[in-house]
Amino acid sequence: MSEQPTDLRETVRRRYAAAAVKVSEGGTACCGPEPVEVDENFGSTRYAADERDGLPAEAVAASLGCGNPTAVAELREGERVLDLGSGGGIDVLLSARRVGPTGKAYGLDMTEEMLALALDNARRAGATDVEFLKGTMEAVPLPANTIDVVISNCVINLSTDKPAVFAEAFRVLKPGGRIGVSDVVAEDGLSPEERAERGDHVGCIAGALSFAEYREGLEAAGFTGVEITPTHPVADGMHSAVVRAVKPSAAGEPGGSNAATDACCGVTACCTPNERAADPSTTVVAAKTASGCGCRG
């Protein structure tokens, strides 16, 4: 008999708590902490050497993901970023580098031990434009329409209520905001039972959605422009993939904003310090007023 959702969540929590403790205790060794993951498909090897340079060794060692969402999300100066399942904080710290002092990076995690490790890593890195929140990705403790980009690294597959995750990501994003996540995705021909045969839930395999299920889940939540691109295999018929999607720039506007153009309300880089009117002959305020945009700030 399969585990119940509450049991699965506790299993996941225990696994990541143990990983955080392992890294923290390893930090007292002469050579620093050993990476939790050594498989080439997961962990710090998914990051370029120049990205790892300058980060606390504990943040690198605690990397458990299957990709590098800070790269695929194309973060920009001044943006507000939320990392779902932030773990030891590597993606939050990398996000903070990209958005700069005018932006902010939030990390959300349900595990006390990981939050403590992430806070310590932020202190070691001297990062001031970061904040770590305790909570679940099915109930994000942030107001609606406040985040520019939602990222995540091989965590959404661990949720037992993925529709709630997609709905919460949509809720916290500003109109025109986007998601850019790395996750494990199954080929469409694999049944849930066949996915479970390839690995367990806590190992990021059994709980993975198929490509079609992922797309349908995001679109049901209201996202448009869904793109799911496999990057490397992690098991037979299972892939690490880059997932991108956009929250329309205005309620009821099908196909709203476009991640490639980053334009909404007649304005590029809307609602960031770098916003400019798409038409150089007018002003930002005039462009927003003419388009009826609700984002007038």
Side-chain angles (χ1 to χ4, degrees), residues 41-42 157 183-200 203-211 230-241:
N41 295 319
F42 297 90
N157 67 80
D183 210 359
V184 173
V185 184
E187 292 179 4
D188 289 334
L190 289 182
S191 68
E193 293 75 21
E194 289 171 325
R195 298 169 214 176
E197 291 172 356
R198 287 154 171 76
D200 61 11
C204 301
I205 301 297
L209 296 173
S210 70
F211 284 88
T231 58
H232 60 276
V234 297
D236 183 23
M238 312 286 292
H239 304 268
S240 175

Side-chain angles (χ1 to χ4, degrees), residues 33-52:
E34 289 294 320
V36 174
E37 296 287 352
V38 294
D39 189 318
E40 65 180 5
N41 295 319
F42 297 90
S44 60
T45 58
R46 308 314 308 176
Y47 298 86
D50 60 344
E51 289 183 301
R52 300 193 301 265

